[in-house]
């Protein structure tokens, strides 16, 4: 029998305060801004939407976004402690492999007081008060948009 090594892909943090667990996940793109109290089958309202945990198979939780009355799965996780070294293999994959979706296009996103701004190679999404505006542009304009909306300039001598 082959020994299977589990490769860990995403790091979220479970924080325990006063004997209650909270999911804190700042690295999952358009998600929540606030810690989510880890209580299964209870609707949780956050600045960016509504969420609900449920159990998934044995020993796993699933976090769902609640849209209307639909539960839209975001990801599954366990609360087992992990070592940073367990993330190395997938981190390297995402940075170097042509099969990684992270290498398919540029992507930057930031929350604002009104919503969110997301920029990729040729598309800008500006969300204000729940209304999303999508602007398409030529890929050659990416750096101009990056400077205008994120105040980031790519120095030509940096790569």
């Amino acid at each position: 029998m082959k020994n299977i090594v589990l490769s860990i892909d995403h790091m979220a943090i479970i924080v325990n305060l006063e004997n209650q667990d909270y999911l804190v996940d700042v690295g999952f793109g358009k998600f929540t801004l606030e810690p989510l109290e880890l209580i299964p089958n209870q609707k949780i309202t956050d600045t960016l939407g509504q969420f609900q945990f449920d159990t998934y198979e044995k020993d796993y939780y699933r976090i769902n976004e609640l849209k209307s009355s639909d539960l839209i799965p975001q990801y599954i996780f366990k609360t087992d402690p992990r070592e940073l070294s367990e993330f190395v293999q997938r981190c390297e994959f995402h940075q170097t492999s042509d099969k990684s979706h992270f290498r398919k296009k540029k992507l930057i996103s930031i929350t604002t007081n009104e919503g969110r701004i997301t920029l990729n190679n040729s598309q800008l999404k500006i969300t204000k008060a729940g209304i999303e505006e999508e602007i398409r542009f030529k890929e050659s304009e990416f750096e101009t948009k990056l400077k205008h909306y994120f105040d980031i300039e790519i120095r030509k001598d940096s790569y």
Side-chain angles (χ1 to χ4, degrees), residues 63-146:
I63 180 64
N64 304 283
E65 186 174 6
L66 195 57
K67 293 267 188 175
S68 300
S69 60
D70 296 328
L71 291 176
I72 302 164
Q74 300 299 300
Y75 61 87
I76 61 170
F77 64 95
K78 290 176 86 167
T79 58
D80 297 347
R82 298 288 181 185
E83 295 295 324
L84 198 53
S85 61
E86 294 179 83
F87 295 87
V88 170
Q89 182 181 5
R90 291 300 288 177
C91 183
E92 190 173 299
F93 167 83
H94 286 308
Q95 293 180 58
T96 62
S97 175
D98 290 336
K99 294 179 182 174
S100 169
H101 68 276
F102 289 107
R103 294 192 36 106
K104 303 286 184 209
K105 63 182 175 182
K106 301 169 193 158
L107 178 67
I108 185 169
S109 187
I110 190 168
T111 55
T112 65
N113 291 334
E114 299 86 25
R116 176 175 290 280
I117 300 172
T118 302
L119 174 67
N120 69 33
N121 295 36
S122 59
Q123 181 181 29
L124 177 69
K125 286 185 184 178
I126 301 172
T127 307
K128 288 184 180 176
I131 299 168
E132 189 174 278
E133 176 186 10
E134 189 175 298
I135 302 164
R136 296 214 173 260
F137 55 88
K138 294 178 184 170
E139 199 165 336
S140 60
E141 299 175 51
F142 176 83
E143 289 184 24
T144 304
K145 304 286 187 205
L146 184 65

